[in-house]
Amino acid sequence: AQSVSQHNHHVILSEAASLELGCNYSYGGTVNLFWYVQYPGQHLQLLLKYFSGDPLVKGIKGFEAEFIKSKFSFNLRKPSVQWSDTAEYFCAVNARSGGYNKLIFGAGTRLAVHP
Amino acid sequence: EAGVTQFPSHSVIEKGQTVTLRCDPISGHDNLYWYRRVMGKEIKFLLHFVKESKQDESGMPNNRFLAERTGGTYSTLKVQPAELEDSGVYFCASSQGVGQLNTEAFFGQGTRLTVV
């Protein structure tokens, strides 16, 4: 069965620190990969996505992620975090199941950025 | 353009009662998904509608949960009777492109269900 693993459940950083959140998935077929973010009190929104082409994708607010097919990974990075990045981050994989696509999520990583 | 909307935003009910959650997807989106997140755990897939048909309901916990999408528009998720372990946040999402992988899902704000 397809699954998504996020390595860190809680991350605490100071402003301007660099961020890397790990994500690994298990699925041997074609996948599309996503990072979603949920800011406090808001709904889930798309941060970035990988469909094909350049494995280094750039998203909103200075985030980027790199798809490494050989490692089944799609880690999220940001060189310098801000207090406003405090949120919960979810890695997700869109994999084909029974002819239709199914979006599978990881457990989420709660990021707290201190000023 | 209106996004995915869910009603109610919060619901507190007693064990044994019935609750119905509603999701209005983005107009024209054939795919509609229900997910649930129990506190601290992953966002777990419940089921997937393609238009009015249930394409995949492998994530539905048990027969106390009933989802419908009459006419292929809005969807309801009914829990009857509710149990304590049903507490969590129920998310709805919709997307275009039936059978396509490269399609983005848009999420509602979720319904926080608390069973006491």
Side-chain angles (χ1 to χ4, degrees):
Chain A
Q2 304 99 331
S3 66
V4 179
S5 298
Q6 290 185 239
H7 308 157
N8 313 96
H9 294 299
H10 291 91
V11 174
I12 302 172
L13 295 173
S14 298
E15 276 194 315
S18 64
L19 170 73
E20 180 160 2
L21 302 182
C23 172
N24 285 87
Y25 65 93
S26 65
Y27 183 71
T30 303
V31 295
N32 292 139
L33 300 158
F34 304 81
W35 276 95
Y36 281 85
V37 59
Q38 187 171 27
Y39 297 102
Q42 297 186 27
H43 59 84
L44 276 164
Q45 53 190 286
L46 185 68
L47 200 56
L48 50 77
K49 61 190 176 188
Y50 172 78
F51 288 164
S52 63
D54 188 345
L56 184 62
V57 293
K58 296 191 183 297
I60 60 172
K61 303 185 180 185
F63 285 91
E64 64 178 31
E66 185 176 11
F67 170 51
I68 303 179
K69 190 175 181 180
S70 61
K71 295 184 178 180
F72 296 89
S73 70
F74 190 56
N75 293 353
L76 180 71
R77 299 194 292 252
K78 185 171 183 178
S80 176
V81 295
Q82 301 172 307
W83 176 79
S84 58
D85 293 325
T86 294
E88 192 157 16
Y89 294 81
F90 296 90
C91 182
V93 171
N94 204 6
R96 193 171 297 282
S97 174
Y100 292 87
N101 47 310
K102 187 178 193 174
L103 194 61
I104 312 260
F105 285 87
T109 297
R110 197 177 292 274
L111 172 67
V113 180
H114 294 297
Chain B
E1 179 183 322
V4 178
T5 53
Q6 292 185 244
F7 305 95
S9 57
H10 294 83
S11 179
V12 180
I13 62 171
E14 292 184 350
K15 177 182 170 180
Q17 289 186 319
T18 298
V19 64
T20 300
L21 314 181
R22 172 169 169 148
C23 169
D24 285 74
I26 293 173
S27 178
H29 281 192
D30 289 333
N31 295 300
L32 188 149
Y33 305 87
W34 282 99
Y35 290 85
R36 177 174 73 175
R37 189 178 193 208
V38 173
M39 188 183 297
K41 301 276 181 74
E42 76 273 20
I43 299 173
K44 190 180 174 193
F45 168 84
L46 296 179
L47 87 159
H48 170 204
F49 282 101
V50 175
K51 298 184 182 179
E52 68 276 5
S53 300
K54 291 177 188 173
Q55 175 53 38
D56 182 349
E57 51 183 335
S58 61
M60 294 287 263
N62 50 60
N63 59 10
R64 295 185 292 103
F65 288 74
L66 175 63
E68 294 180 321
R69 192 184 181 194
T70 306
T73 55
Y74 71 90
S75 175
T76 57
L77 179 64
K78 181 160 66 173
V79 185
Q80 179 182 31
E83 298 289 343
L84 299 178
E85 64 264 26
D86 300 333
S87 296
V89 180
Y90 290 76
F91 293 100
C92 174
S94 72
S95 69
Q96 292 179 309
V98 173
Q100 296 176 15
L101 278 179
N102 56 343
T103 178
E104 176 185 343
F106 296 85
F107 282 79
Q109 81 280 14
T111 294
R112 183 175 295 278
L113 174 65
T114 303
V115 183
V116 297

